[in-house]
Amino acid sequence: MKQYKVVQTFPVPLQDLLRAREDRYKYLDRFPELKNVELLEERKEGNKVYQKRKVKLAESLPKVLATLLSDPSLLEDSVFDISTNTHEFTIAPPGNDSIVTIKGFSVYKEIGPGESERSYDVKVNSGVFLMGSVIETVIEEIHRHSLEKDKNSISEFLKKGD
């Protein structure tokens, strides 16, 4: 199992960051880097927002994984708690969570006047015999890159002031 932490800061108040996090998916035409993300389901129950998304990976999937997957995509199940600004998520290939599973927990918080951050604690686990640690390392790299792209899309959204 691989574990890592990612911390990203934004030069905006927490409320602006949270609004951008949610609203940018309403403007996918302006964010081509999000075009491979499809919202399958969303529901609110009290302070919690439940989402299921499909992330298509055809172009970015390493060959070692592509051969193991019949569907080159990942499903993300997530719960965002509005009262605590925390986000729990599980990401895995459809019906193949033994190949690789990403579990994470992120916290959004104000760190100063007009400045906020989100921090991720992530675990990647693969049950593939003899290749598990290689797959975990590759997925960690892909996921870190994905979080950076996500940060950039939020930053762009904030600049546009939508």
Side-chain angles (χ1 to χ4, degrees):
M1 180 187 331
K2 282 272 197 195
Q3 295 185 55
Y4 53 96
K5 185 171 183 83
V6 174
V7 177
Q8 299 173 331
T9 59
F10 298 84
V12 296
L14 178 60
Q15 285 315 111
D16 291 355
L17 172 59
L18 293 171
R19 185 178 51 81
R21 175 198 173 272
E22 187 174 328
D23 287 353
R24 69 206 154 99
Y25 284 101
K26 295 175 185 172
Y27 303 99
L28 288 177
D29 55 319
R30 294 189 228 166
F31 299 98
E33 66 274 13
L34 300 177
K35 73 179 184 313
N36 64 335
V37 178
E38 177 186 354
L39 183 62
L40 300 175
E41 181 183 316
E42 180 177 66
R43 73 183 192 286
K44 270 187 169 179
E45 290 178 15
N47 288 329
K48 297 188 177 178
V49 178
Y50 296 85
Q51 289 185 327
K52 183 177 284 234
R53 284 185 260 223
K54 183 173 188 171
V55 181
K56 299 175 193 108
L57 295 172
E59 304 87 41
S60 60
L61 204 61
K63 287 201 185 307
V64 68
L65 276 177
T67 58
L68 297 171
L69 300 176
S70 56
D71 178 354
S73 64
L74 296 173
L75 289 179
E76 175 183 359
D77 280 301
S78 73
V79 180
F80 190 87
D81 189 324
I82 297 166
S83 62
T84 59
N85 297 322
T86 56
H87 181 217
E88 282 187 76
F89 57 91
T90 301
I91 304 169
N96 285 311
D97 61 356
S98 64
I99 292 174
V100 68
T101 301
I102 303 167
K103 288 186 182 259
F105 183 79
S106 64
V107 179
Y108 290 71
K109 65 183 179 184
E110 192 105 20
I111 57 174
E115 192 171 16
S116 52
E117 78 172 21
R118 66 178 185 175
S119 61
Y120 285 86
D121 288 300
V122 184
K123 295 178 183 174
V124 179
N125 193 24
S126 173
V128 176
F129 183 65
L130 298 176
M131 292 295 292
S133 64
V134 171
I135 290 171
E136 291 167 2
T137 300
V138 167
I139 291 299
E140 176 187 357
E141 279 181 39
I142 290 170
H143 189 248
R144 281 182 183 269
H145 182 68
S146 168
L147 290 176
E148 192 58 35
K149 282 176 31 179
D150 191 51
K151 178 188 182 210
N152 293 340
S153 77
I154 289 173
S155 295
E156 283 301 310
F157 187 84
L158 289 165
K159 281 181 200 168
K160 292 178 181 175
D162 284 298

